[in-house]
Every structure is written in structure tokens, then in C-alpha cells.
Amino acid sequence: MTRYEKWRLRATIAWAIVGGVALFLLAVRGLTIVGQAVELLLIGVIVGFVCSPITNWLEDRRVPRGFAALLALLIVLAAIVAVVALFVGPFARELMVLLRNVPTYFTQLQDGLATFWDYFGTTGNTNVQNTVNALVQVLTEAGSGIASDLARNLSSGLVANLTDLAGHFVTFFLGLILAYWFALDYPKIMRELAVIAGPEYDEEMVLTFAVLSRSMGGYMRGTLITSLANGLMVAAGLALIGHPYAGLIGIATFVLHFVPVIGPFLSSISAVLLGFFVSPVCAFWTLVITVVAQNVTDNVLSPLVMQSSIKIHPALSLVGIIIGGALGGAVGMLLAVPLTAAIKGFFVYYFESHTGRQLVSREGALFGSTPFNYADGRPQPTFDALDDDTFIARSRLLDGLTRLHEQKAEPKAPAAAGQDAPGEKDA
């Protein structure tokens, strides 16, 4: 390769990155315009990803795929209804109690701070005392005002928001229909996309969908299960010690667990702070319960349910969350980790395909995973990108391609008697 060609390749890659960033920014900007359509698509895709392995499992046991997809959707819907029925009531009730008690808690904080200064305050740190007291006073006024506004909105804003709730309900219902068809027909959709892509690009297309399915679907399924388990363990443990906000903290733990690294830390600190307003003993046992529940979730449950997702280093997760939050807000933070995992998978595939060097290894940090090799020792980029050599076959992604390739391989029927074979007419 000449020097000119090298610089041309670098310029092409640079402009491709710039173009990708620009498209991403435009897409994030477009989310604010077509929010309801994006909500519908997200519900359909996420629920469809959750339903697809259940559908495949039922089909393997000779259940017709249409009925299997319906059963999978009903199972997922029943789980959602059960969770809502169990938690929404306690959540609303405990949230209202907490908001009403916020002024009292701030008063306790001010009294505790005054006691602290009585013991440790000196004439040499008067400026520090005044600064801290002023800061606590500002926080007290702001927090009390916010709590009062939230309590008033929650108690009086339900009727005003009925129209919005109805719109979200319709979107959710349509999303379930989309999820059913996605779980039912994605092998057929793969075949049609393979026809569109052509034989030269169908392998890349399969890899793209496999990486997205394994990162997005596997991550969302695994995170949903681990978040639910973590929230249930925390809520049950805090209920046993008599924490007045056990249900509220359990739901907060469930929601914040979707934000890795930062979320579990914030939920634990919030629970401990609320426990301090009850008693120091309550705060201590709250800390023990949240730490134990988080460790059980991360070290016992997560390795089991996250086998169907691409591994990603916590540092990459944190970077993805920061970028996603800056560009897409709460939705960007929610999608940041699976999208980062997908980008990592694509990078591994194209790096190993073009260089022949194996990037992943069991001892690696950012690219630590199981390496896969051919018999001659060459890396297998597709399996390294997915961290699995059976996922594509198990996920039915090859079903459509297999049928398509079989049709290509079928011998052509011989020409009927009296007809010219193709090409003979012009010979």
C-alpha cells in the first residue's frame, strides 16, 4: 500500500467517524420530535427480545411457533402485571409519606448539625460553620419546596394526566402487538433482509443482527432479571427490619440497577440516608442488606443470566453512560451500555478480520472474553465479537439464510425437450 493510499484510508475512516457521530446526534435530536413512535418501537423491540428465547424454547418442544410466541408474550405480560400489582400501591403510598416527612427530616438534619457543632465547633472554624449552616438552610428550603410541589402534583395531578396515561397505554398495547410479530417472524425477516443485502453482505448482516441481539436483547433480558431480583431482595430484607420505606427503596433499587456502576451505589446510599432518619441501627442494617443483595446479584445471579450478552468492562460502561446521558438524557443512559457493548462487538470483528490478530483474551481488560480459533490457530472474528460460538444458531438468525442458501444450491431443472438450454440460443 502506497503512502497516498494509507492517508486516503485514514481520511476515509476519519470522515466515517465524523459522519457516524453526526448521524447519531441527528438521531438523538429526532427522538424529541418522534417520541411516541420511538416509545412504541422500544417497547416492541425490548419485549420482543425478551419473548424470543421463550418462543424458541417452546418451539423446540414442538409447540407451533405462532402459539409459542403468544404464550411467551402472555408470560412476559403476566410478569409485568404481577410486578406492577405488587409494587405500585406500596410505592405510591410510601412516596407520599416520604414527601410529607421531608420537612421533618430536614429539621432533624439541622438539629443534628447544631449538636455536632456544639461538640466539635471552635472559634477557629466559625467561617466553616456559617458556610455549612447556610448551605444546609438553602438545601432545606429547596428540598421542602420540591417535596411539597411533588406531593401536591401527585395528589391532584392524576385527573389532569388521564389523557397522557391513555396515550401511553395505547402505545404500550401497540408495542405488545409489535413484540408478538417480532418474536414470531424474525427468522423470516432475516431471510428477506438477506435477499435485500445480497450474498456478498449476508454474513455481515447476520453478524450485525447477532451483535445487536446479543448486546441489546441479552443485556435487557439479563438486566431486567437481575434488577428485579435485587429490588425484591432489598424490599424483603428492609421489610423484615421494619424500614418504613421498604417498598419504595425496593422499587428505586430495581430502577437504578439499570444504570450500572452508578445506579446500585446511589440506591444503597439513599436507603442508608433514609434509615438514619429512623435510627442508626436501621441505617446499619439497611447498609448490610443492600450490600449483601448487590453482591448476591452481581456475583451469583448475574453470571448466570448474563451469559447471553456481550461482556463489557465497567470503565467502558461508565464512559458510555456519561456520553449517553449527555446526548440522550434518561433514554440515552438506559441504552448506553447495550449500545457500547454492540460497538465493542463490531470493533472486535472488524479489527480481527482486517488484521488477523486476536484482540480478545481471557486475561484482557477492555476486551477480556473467551477467544475462539480455527484449527490452524487463526482467530474467528465472528465468535470473538459475540463471545459465543453457538449464539447465532440458537437464536434462529441463520434459519432464513439456510433456506436461502439451500435454494441457491439446488440444481436447475433440465430444459424441456425441444427447448434451448440457457445460453445456447445465442451461441
Side-chain angles (χ1 to χ4, degrees):
M1 182 180 291
T2 65
R3 186 175 181 181
Y4 169 76
E5 291 174 335
K6 290 181 180 179
W7 279 106
R8 183 179 178 182
L9 177 61
R10 292 172 184 172
T12 302
I13 295 174
W15 279 110
I17 294 174
V18 171
V21 172
L23 287 175
F24 181 74
L25 292 174
L26 289 174
V28 171
R29 179 65 179 172
L31 291 178
T32 60
I33 301 174
V34 291
Q36 192 166 9
V38 173
E39 181 183 353
L40 171 63
L41 184 61
L42 283 176
I43 293 172
V45 171
I46 292 173
V47 177
F49 272 133
V50 175
C51 291
S52 58
I54 304 175
T55 303
N56 295 339
W57 185 85
L58 292 172
E59 188 182 28
D60 290 339
R61 281 143 186 84
R62 306 195 178 195
V63 178
R65 188 166 184 87
F67 187 56
L70 180 60
L71 281 178
L73 182 61
L74 291 176
I75 291 171
V76 173
L77 186 59
I80 294 173
V81 171
V83 170
V84 171
L86 285 173
F87 287 103
V88 167
F91 173 79
R93 183 169 59 254
E94 293 177 10
L95 180 60
M96 289 296 298
V97 172
L98 173 61
L99 293 175
R100 292 193 187 101
N101 289 337
V102 164
T104 303
Y105 292 154
F106 276 118
T107 301
Q108 293 180 19
L109 178 61
Q110 289 178 316
D111 294 341
L113 185 61
T115 303
F116 176 82
W117 291 131
D118 289 339
Y119 279 99
F120 300 102
T122 64
T123 56
N125 59 12
T126 304
N127 292 333
V128 175
Q129 295 180 41
N130 293 334
T131 302
V132 173
N133 290 337
L135 178 62
V136 171
Q137 181 64 33
V138 171
L139 292 176
T140 299
E141 295 175 356
S144 299
I146 293 173
S148 300
D149 292 340
L150 284 175
R152 184 168 56 254
N153 291 334
L154 286 174
S155 59
S156 63
L158 180 61
V159 176
N161 293 326
L162 283 179
T163 303
D164 292 338
L165 289 174
H168 288 300
F169 178 79
V170 172
T171 301
F172 181 74
F173 178 75
L174 294 176
L176 293 180
I177 297 176
L178 180 63
Y180 168 78
W181 288 111
F182 177 81
L184 173 66
D185 285 336
Y186 78 84
K188 298 177 182 178
I189 295 172
M190 284 299 300
R191 181 191 181 281
E192 294 169 345
L193 293 176
V195 174
I196 296 173
E200 297 85 0
Y201 302 103
D202 55 9
E203 291 184 6
E204 285 79 3
M205 185 198 66
V206 169
L207 174 75
T208 299
F209 278 91
V211 169
L212 291 175
S213 176
R214 188 160 165 77
S215 58
M216 298 290 291
Y219 174 81
M220 294 305 297
R221 283 193 298 268
T223 303
L224 181 63
I225 295 171
T226 54
S227 299
L228 182 60
N230 196 13
L232 287 173
M233 285 189 288
V234 169
L238 295 184
L240 288 176
I241 66 172
H243 199 296
Y245 304 114
L248 178 63
I249 294 173
I251 293 178
T253 301
F254 165 75
V255 174
L256 290 173
H257 193 271
F258 280 88
V259 182
V261 183
I262 303 174
F265 174 77
L266 291 178
S267 63
S268 180
I269 291 298
S270 302
V272 172
L273 289 177
L274 287 175
F276 265 117
F277 290 116
V278 179
S279 69
V281 175
C282 181
F284 171 76
W285 285 112
T286 299
L287 178 63
V288 171
I289 290 170
T290 54
V291 170
V292 170
Q294 186 61 42
N295 276 274
V296 170
T297 302
D298 289 344
N299 300 320
V300 178
L301 184 60
S302 185
L304 297 176
V305 301
M306 286 295 189
Q307 291 178 351
S308 61
S309 63
I310 297 176
K311 300 181 182 70
I312 181 169
H313 193 273
L316 291 178
S317 299
L318 187 58
V319 172
I321 290 169
I322 294 173
I323 297 174
L327 297 178
V331 176
M333 294 181 69
L334 179 64
L335 299 178
V337 175
L339 285 177
T340 304
I343 293 172
K344 174 199 167 186
F346 292 136
F347 180 81
V348 168
Y349 174 79
Y350 286 105
F351 177 86
E352 294 189 354
S353 298
H354 288 79
T355 66
R357 301 194 301 269
Q358 194 153 41
L359 180 61
V360 302
S361 66
R362 289 185 176 87
E363 298 79 18
L366 299 180
F367 299 96
S369 62
T370 304
F372 296 93
N373 300 88
Y374 291 105
D376 59 2
R378 291 181 298 113
Q380 293 183 286
T382 300
F383 297 155
D384 282 350
L386 295 171
D387 192 25
D388 191 352
D389 58 349
T390 63
F391 177 78
I392 293 179
R394 287 188 289 106
S395 63
R396 306 293 198 276
L397 288 172
L398 280 180
D399 283 1
L401 284 180
T402 302
R403 289 194 294 270
L404 182 65
H405 290 169
E406 286 174 353
Q407 291 175 9
K408 291 178 182 177
E410 289 178 358
K412 295 181 180 179
Q419 292 182 353
D420 295 327
E424 290 184 353
K425 188 174 183 179
D426 299 327

